[in-house]
Amino acid sequence: MKYNHLSKWLVVAFLFSSNWVLAQVESNNQNDFNEFTYRQGSAYRAASGKPGPDYWQNGADYKIAVTIDEDEHTVTGKVDITYTNNSPESLSFIWLHLEQNRFTPDSRGTLTTPIQGNRYNGDIDGGYTINNVAAQLSKRGSTVSSKHIITDTRMQVFFNEPIPAKGGVATVSMNFTFKVPVKGMDRMGRLTVADGTIYALAQWYPKVAVFDDVEGWNIEPYLGAGEFYLDYGDFDYKVTVPYDHIVVGSGALQNPKEVLNGTLLERLEKASNSDTTVYLVKPEEVLKPELTRPKQEGTLTWHFKIENARDVAFSSSKAFIWDAAQINLPEGKKAIAQSVYPKESDGQDAWSRSTEYSKASIEHYSNKWYPYPYPAAVNVAADINGMEYPGLNFCSYKSKEGSLWGVTDHEFGHNWFPMIVGTNERRYAWMDEGFNSFINHYSSVAFNEGEYGSDLQQTRKYVNWLNSEDREGIDTYPDVANTSNLGMIAYMKPAIGLFLLREYILGEERFDNAFKAYIEAWAYKHPQPNDFFNIIENVGGENLSWFWKSWFYGTDNIDLAIENVVPYGNDQVVILSNKGGVPMPVKLGLTYADGSKERIMLPVEIWQRGDSWNYQHKSNKQLVGVEIDPDKVLPDINIANDKWPSDIYKE
């Protein structure tokens, strides 16, 4: 039988007559709304969230020339680094990353990999051979130092004289060689396919570590889950390979007439002005270099440049199918999308649509958030599940359809986080993976009228993890986190946090203004978490300490509940409680006896002094139903207490 609601109201009104009004002041939640961390501004980082008037960062420009030995699977070459010290202190040494040293039996990364392995498995027969180290100031009379110390994946290079503060320049050069691993921690390596070997080259040259105003030298070793933190500079690099290889890389090809024949040059020009995909090397032309290469023996040197980037990667193989199309950017600017993949990856359900996906992804983010800055966007099929570098991705050669769209879109999204907005991935993975997963949601909804769509909005599908005793906080460092938690704390939970800010807390317009302001303020710079929090609050116009503290720096959950609805004179009172540790504004969906509906939003401040709140709803219409979060935006861990009357009172 159906429950008599009027009778229940009369009973509850009597029971609560002496104490329900007091319930909302019985406890105190002021701690949840206090500032959770020291966020005052400085001359380097303003309280507004923008770089301060004295903000500085150092820079490094690179000239690199390497040769691939296809028989030995080695890369050998030289790097020349020009380093600019913009910091307010002189530097008697600099630190570099030697990330190929991860691939040795006694590296820290190898020794901290569990016996059963994980995603970040790597070969152990590699590592750098370094020689001819030379370091000196860029001024007359400076002397050359060869003093250096190599420790695992770090290298300390000393100068005979300190690099002067506020603009001092020095150079460091060295020769290096390493064996390309087959398994390169799912970030680089080599893959044998029917028509040859695909070399996916990243972490391939010694690179300078970041010296900043927060940590000084950022010298965490390369272990596994933690990715990269790098300064910006210009790259000029040359790759010498067998004549029948195709090379693609970060940036723009400088010498197309030297490495492409007339047929390829014509096709490249056509692709650069085509909104549909154009073959550069057709499937039937693979292993027929006489149709596409300018010479038929020896080697060719491919020359690339990219400006204001934090890294470069490239790929080389004779097994590549190669296609391309133009990318249309804001203000009439253009770039080119390219894909390279073996025959094993060919097909309209697979990599033949890669360039279409790449073009759509780059165009979406450019129009919605910030213009894409690089001349090319290259998608490379490799034995890598998905890894990003400026202007170039490595994605799984086995991916098809929605999975290929998803990984392509995700890796290209990383050009905004952390390639444009240069966060410290090794410490704060959530500031690139989470932010990128968030923008991926909107690009996937937009692509081809939702061909593959997105499920980020289905936040309650993660309730089991949110209730897990083994869950960790978003702020947990990647190399410290349990690898089973990394997908949530680096990707999904921070992405959901931004989704809640946009769709529930701030609204689209306020959030978008603030998010764009963050990207614009920190483009090609190094924001910290507090910089992000401050700029979102300043532009969005909302103190969100309660949200940063509970969602980003805690493991509590959202559990908003309706305890009851009772009469109060001519009005009705909705008795609410916050049973989780994360306070939230409360959106209520109201249903009246005449069938009409209404929605109201109660501000988060109702929880400032306690976990109970009594909302007096003034209306001349009879309430027959109340629901918290009727659109199910919140990842509320207990759906059973979101409605009144509860389902337990129904037949």
Side-chain angles (χ1 to χ4, degrees), residues 339-400:
S339 298
V340 288
Y341 48 95
K343 290 180 181 178
E344 289 88 338
S345 304
D346 193 16
Q348 279 300 308
D349 64 340
W351 276 78
S352 293
R353 293 188 69 186
S354 167
T355 293
E356 175 195 352
Y357 297 161
S358 304
K359 170 182 166 66
S361 179
I362 296 291
E363 290 177 350
H364 172 86
Y365 298 129
S366 295
N367 286 305
K368 189 167 184 62
W369 303 115
Y370 190 91
Y372 182 71
Y374 305 123
V378 187
N379 207 19
V380 179
D383 193 16
I384 296 166
N385 286 318
M387 188 60 202
E388 73 283 353
Y389 300 94
L392 185 142
N393 303 332
F394 299 129
C395 296
S396 174
Y397 76 108
K398 297 179 180 179
S399 291
K400 294 184 176 182

Side-chain angles (χ1 to χ4, degrees), residues 36-343:
F36 73 97
T37 184
Y38 186 75
R39 293 198 287 148
Q40 292 184 4
S42 70
Y44 299 141
R45 297 171 186 271
S48 65
K50 295 181 179 181
D54 294 334
Y55 175 83
W56 58 268
Q57 67 187 46
N58 293 348
D61 297 329
Y62 296 81
K63 287 190 176 181
I64 316 170
V66 294
T67 298
I68 294 178
D69 185 321
E70 198 172 24
D71 295 324
E72 299 296 327
H73 301 303
T74 58
V75 172
T76 301
K78 181 183 180 183
V79 59
D80 294 292
I81 304 169
T82 301
Y83 186 73
T84 303
N85 176 26
N86 295 313
S87 80
E89 59 183 287
S90 61
L91 300 175
S92 59
F93 60 82
I94 65 172
W95 282 97
L96 287 82
H97 295 294
L98 301 181
E99 284 147 346
Q100 284 300 315
N101 281 353
R102 165 63 176 79
F103 305 110
T104 62
D106 57 352
S107 73
R108 291 190 182 191
T110 298
L111 296 175
T112 55
T113 299
I115 293 173
Q116 69 273 21
N118 55 34
R119 174 181 173 180
Y120 308 107
N121 291 339
D123 292 354
I124 57 173
D125 61 346
Y128 277 119
T129 298
I130 301 283
N131 52 51
N132 294 335
V133 177
Q136 66 182 120
L137 300 190
S138 298
K139 69 174 186 177
R140 286 185 179 181
S142 65
T143 57
V144 177
S145 169
S146 61
K147 182 181 177 182
H148 65 279
I149 300 172
I150 294 176
T151 305
D152 192 52
T153 60
R154 287 82 48 83
M155 179 180 187
Q156 190 175 24
V157 176
F158 297 87
F159 297 88
N160 290 335
E161 303 172 67
I163 310 172
K166 299 182 178 180
V169 179
T171 61
V172 176
S173 64
M174 67 192 74
N175 297 333
F176 63 92
T177 186
F178 65 91
K179 182 179 179 181
V180 181
V182 175
K183 296 293 184 183
M185 296 174 63
D186 206 20
R187 297 199 175 102
M188 53 85 62
R190 55 188 161 94
L191 168 67
T192 300
V193 293
D195 291 333
T197 299
I198 295 174
Y199 293 93
L201 274 302
Q203 293 82 60
W204 57 281
Y205 60 95
K207 61 188 72 171
V208 183
V210 172
F211 182 77
D212 64 22
D213 62 293
V214 179
E215 297 286 338
W217 285 107
N218 289 259
I219 51 172
E220 287 79 11
Y222 184 40
L223 298 178
E227 291 186 351
F228 311 107
Y229 184 34
L230 300 164
D231 277 321
Y232 291 88
D234 297 339
F235 292 80
D236 183 324
Y237 65 103
K238 297 178 179 179
V239 182
T240 300
V241 297
Y243 74 94
D244 54 356
H245 277 221
I246 291 294
V247 180
V248 290
S250 300
L253 180 64
Q254 301 298 298
N255 60 337
K257 293 181 180 179
E258 296 177 18
V259 295
L260 309 177
N261 72 359
T263 299
L264 271 184
L265 289 170
E266 289 178 7
R267 293 174 181 175
L268 185 60
E269 176 65 21
K270 180 180 178 181
S272 299
N273 296 284
S274 173
D275 283 318
T276 57
T277 302
V278 175
Y279 276 120
L280 305 182
V281 176
K282 301 176 182 179
E284 62 270 21
E285 294 173 338
V286 174
L287 296 186
K288 295 180 180 179
E290 67 275 9
L291 300 178
T292 57
R293 314 303 151 81
K295 59 187 292 189
Q296 302 304 310
E297 60 181 359
T299 61
L300 287 170
T301 297
W302 298 62
H303 183 192
F304 296 89
K305 287 184 180 180
I306 190 170
E307 297 178 349
N308 207 16
R310 49 178 258 166
D311 199 0
V312 286
F314 71 92
S315 186
S316 180
S317 182
K318 64 181 179 181
F320 281 149
I321 301 167
W322 188 14
D323 62 38
Q326 73 174 353
I327 299 172
N328 301 300
L329 300 174
E331 299 181 356
K333 296 181 179 179
K334 304 284 185 180
I336 187 168
Q338 303 176 54
S339 298
V340 288
Y341 48 95
K343 290 180 181 178

